[in-house]
Structure formats: C-alpha cells, structure tokens
Amino acid sequence: MTATKPIISLSETGKQYQQLDALQAINLALNPGEVLGLFGHNGAGKTTMMKIILGVIPASSGEVRIFGVDPQSKQAWQSRRQIGYLPENVSFYDHLTGLEILTYFARLKQVSQQEVPALLAQVGLTHALNRKVKHYSKGMRQRLGLAQAFLGNPKLLLLDEPTVGLDPIATQDFYQRVDQLKSNGTSVILCSHVLPGVEQHIDRAMILAGGRQKAIGTLAQLREKANLPATIRIPELASLLSSHPELSQWQTGPEQLQVPEKQKLAVIRQLLDDPLLPDISIEPANLEQLYQYYLNINDAQCQGAVAPSAPQPNAAGRPLTPPEVASS
Ligand SMILES: Nc1ncnc2c1ncn2[C@@H]1O[C@H](COP(=O)(O)OP(=O)(O)OP(=O)(O)O)[C@@H](O)[C@H]1O
C-alpha cells in the first residue's frame, strides 16, 4: 500500500515580521480531500499561514511543501494553478461586469472560459453577470469571489472568511459545494470567525492564538482531550433525579445535566436503564466551546501539534476554568 502524499506539509513553520512572531512552529500535513477549519482571533496568524502556503510570502523558519514543492521555488509556478484562493477582503475592478471579471481570471489561470457562465450560475449570479461590479451588493461580491476561487476545479482551496456577507441560503449552498469538492478529492482550508454551522463540514480543526498552534485534531479528538461536559437534556428531570440523587451534581438547568465527556456513557446507561426516563437528548461540546477552551490554555499545555491533555474536573465534576486569554 502506498502512503498518501500530503498536499500541504508544514513542519515547524514560523514567520517573523521585524520583532513580531506572527507564526511559530506550525505543523500540519493536509491530505487530499481533507477539510481543515482554521480558527483564531484577529491577528492570530491565519492569513499569514495562507500567504506562506500560497508562496506570497516566505516562511522565516521551518519547512513548507505544497504539492511536494517549496512554494518559493520556480517549480511552484505549475502547482499554483491548482490552488484556489479567496482572500479575506475580496476586491475587483469595479468598472467591469461579473462576467468580464471571471473571464479575466479564467484567462489568468488558463482555465477554459466556457466554465465561466456555469460557475456564475452556481453562485447565483446569472441574473447579474452583465452588471458592473460597482453595483454589486457585498454578498454578490463575495459570491463572485467564491466563483473565482472555484475556477478550474482546484486541488487545494484556501478560503479566508468565505461566508462573510452571504445570506443563509447562499451559506448553505457554499457548504454543499465544499462537501462536493471534498468528495472529488479537493483539500480545503477554511478560515472563519463564524463557528456555528462549520463543524459538520470539516475533518479537523486547527486553533491558533498569538501565532501559536494551540490545538489540531478531529473534533472527537479535541473533545476527548478537553473533557468538556456534554449536555444531556431530559424533560421532567426533577422527578427522575429523586431516584438518581447522585446525578444532581451535574444539574445546570431545570431539564439539563452537564456531564464530563468521560463520564457521559456511564450516566446515559444508568438513565436508559430507568423505565421512567421520558426522553433524552445528548449534545457534545460544540466547536465554539472547544474553541474557547483551547484559546485559553497556556503554552505549556499545548506542546507541538497535538491537542493538550484534559484538565482535572473540580469537585462539581466540571472541568476547571481555564486561565484568562493572554493578549497577543
Ligand atoms: N506585512 C506585515 N508586516 C508586519 N506585521 C504584519 C504584516 N502582516 C501581518 N502582520 C501581523 O502579523 C500578525 C498576524 O496577522 P494575520 O493577518 O496573519 O492575522 P489573522 O489571523 O489573519 O487575523 P484576522 O482574523 O484579523 O484576519 C498580526 O499581528 C499582524 O499585525
């Protein structure tokens, strides 16, 4: 069996701007068809990481290989055509129409211009393809930016805040398109401050803070290591607790228990054995809660590329509150 070659390989990658460490010791191997969610506060280093991958700026330390090639080398020119990029603040030549702009980018990327109308249709801009971009709304510009990134069926997509300005239906369409590209083998890095709705479309998450990699892993791995409580909802919980008084230590609402991930299964089994259990729903810690948790851990807890180990629960069974975020 041959091992899959990563599309992106970052090894101890760092970037310094004068005295500022914008990125430090980033490690990532992104496989074909893998979607990575890249999360971090303003100034955490997300755009810097994307620019290094694109070859727009060189890394100051570590090794970078994109499609097996150093993005700063001459050979990277060929592989760059396989990359689609949506910058954070997309801007176009305002006096051109959507059709003219996408045709222009198709020529730059040496992609057949016949793709253009279909791509504009895919992002819902057919009705406005002959309208000048200066008359486009913010969301329409973002849709055009996405069409530009999707040109030529890229093997690697770097998307910086792709859903900004999109309405809910366009956001849903966008994620459907990401799922489709992924199933065709495209690798994606998706950078977003909008966390709800992202988690079911990513394979792994990387959390950056102050240029450092606080965690990387699947959500299941991040959950296991954080040991954050899962929420268990039960109607008429009070009457059930009278026969399970030991469970009241987890009660956080009239119909809600919050149970540490590691005790979750035992508690669920106990509840399911009770014939009086009216109903039950279980929600694991969501991406926002994981993000908060990993942002707040200190550097000693996040050695290298792996997610840090879990804190011990306190007497109430809840994980200890992490220290406050150090300002970056
Ligand atoms: N050309 C530059 N010269 C000096 N400092 C820079 C330069 N570009 C970025 N920085 C700094 O590097 C740090 C990381 O910036 P970056 O743009 O990568 O953050 P980001 O995570 O993308 O933030 P945001 O979510 O706000 O887009 C910031 O402190 C920023 O001020």
Side-chain angles (χ1 to χ4, degrees), residues 17-18 20 22 40-49 88 160 193:
Y17 293 115
Q18 293 91 38
L20 177 78
H41 56 265
N42 295 129
K46 305 176 299 292
T47 306
T48 300
M49 184 168 141
E88 188 179 6
D160 207 343
H193 291 294

Side-chain angles (χ1 to χ4, degrees), residues 15-18 20-23 38-51 57 88-89 160-161 191-193 208 210-211 328:
K15 178 70 187 175
Q16 274 194 315
Y17 293 115
Q18 293 91 38
L20 177 78
D21 280 319
L23 272 186
L38 180 60
F39 307 112
H41 56 265
N42 295 129
K46 305 176 299 292
T47 306
T48 300
M49 184 168 141
M50 292 218 190
K51 284 182 179 170
I57 55 171
E88 188 179 6
N89 296 308
D160 207 343
E161 294 292 340
C191 208
S192 182
H193 291 294
L208 290 180
S328 61

Side-chain angles (χ1 to χ4, degrees), residues 52 87 99 136 154 302 313:
I52 290 173
L99 180 65
Y136 274 22
C302 59

Side-chain angles (χ1 to χ4, degrees), residues 33-304:
E34 196 180 8
V35 180
L36 177 81
L38 180 60
F39 307 112
H41 56 265
N42 295 129
K46 305 176 299 292
T47 306
T48 300
M49 184 168 141
M50 292 218 190
K51 284 182 179 170
I52 290 173
I53 292 168
L54 283 165
V56 173
I57 55 171
S60 313
S61 54
E63 195 180 72
V64 182
R65 291 289 179 272
I66 311 300
F67 297 106
V69 174
D70 178 350
Q72 292 295 312
S73 70
K74 277 191 182 155
Q75 301 96 289
W77 184 247
Q78 267 312 101
S79 54
R80 214 166 281 149
R81 294 217 327 250
Q82 301 183 70
I83 304 178
Y85 176 50
L86 175 76
E88 188 179 6
N89 296 308
V90 67
S91 67
F92 298 110
Y93 306 106
D94 265 7
H95 58 285
L96 296 181
T97 67
L99 180 65
E100 286 167 341
I101 282 175
L102 211 55
T103 304
Y104 170 74
F105 278 103
R107 284 170 62 188
L108 277 181
K109 233 177 164 180
Q110 300 177 6
V111 169
S112 164
Q113 292 171 38
Q114 286 170 350
E115 265 195 32
V116 169
L119 261 176
L120 285 167
Q122 222 173 70
V123 296
L125 284 179
T126 302
H127 68 289
L129 54 82
N130 289 317
R131 197 182 301 171
K132 286 189 176 170
V133 168
K134 66 179 174 190
H135 299 308
Y136 274 22
S137 69
K138 181 174 166 50
M140 289 165 81
R141 283 167 192 259
Q142 188 71 358
R143 287 167 186 240
L144 188 60
L146 284 170
Q148 168 278 130
F150 294 149
L151 263 173
N153 286 317
K155 288 259 165 289
L156 172 62
L157 258 179
L158 304 176
L159 305 172
D160 207 343
E161 294 292 340
T163 56
V164 163
L166 295 185
D167 61 53
I169 301 293
T171 301
Q172 212 175 11
D173 289 347
F174 161 75
Y175 281 122
Q176 262 178 22
R177 179 80 179 128
V178 168
D179 295 346
Q180 206 176 45
L181 285 160
K182 172 187 160 58
S183 62
N184 291 338
T186 299
S187 307
V188 184
I189 295 188
L190 203 160
C191 208
S192 182
H193 291 294
V194 187
L195 303 186
V198 178
E199 55 191 84
Q200 56 272 45
H201 303 281
I202 59 174
D203 297 303
R204 285 190 292 162
M206 180 189 277
I207 297 169
L208 290 180
R212 289 175 181 269
Q213 183 172 313
K214 292 282 188 167
I216 182 165
T218 62
L219 294 189
Q221 289 168 336
L222 297 185
R223 275 187 192 113
E224 196 191 329
K225 293 193 171 163
N227 196 24
L228 292 179
T231 303
I232 299 179
R233 291 183 211 283
I234 299 165
E236 296 155 48
L237 176 62
S239 60
L240 198 76
L241 284 183
S242 57
S243 38
H244 303 272
E246 69 285 3
L247 296 187
S248 50
Q249 65 174 312
W250 313 118
Q251 188 172 11
T252 51
E255 301 200 331
Q256 177 176 299
L257 301 173
Q258 285 201 298
V259 182
E261 196 61 31
K262 286 181 180 151
Q263 271 116 316
K264 183 183 72 181
L265 269 183
V267 170
I268 294 167
R269 280 199 193 100
Q270 181 182 347
L271 289 166
L272 289 176
D273 274 347
D274 189 328
L276 296 178
L277 177 72
D279 197 2
I280 185 167
S281 73
I282 301 132
E283 293 159 26
N286 62 28
L287 182 56
E288 280 165 289
Q289 291 163 325
L290 290 168
Y291 176 71
Q292 282 300 335
Y293 171 81
Y294 283 105
L295 261 197
N296 290 343
I297 60 170
N298 60 40
D299 291 337
Q301 290 172 283
C302 59
Q303 298 288 310

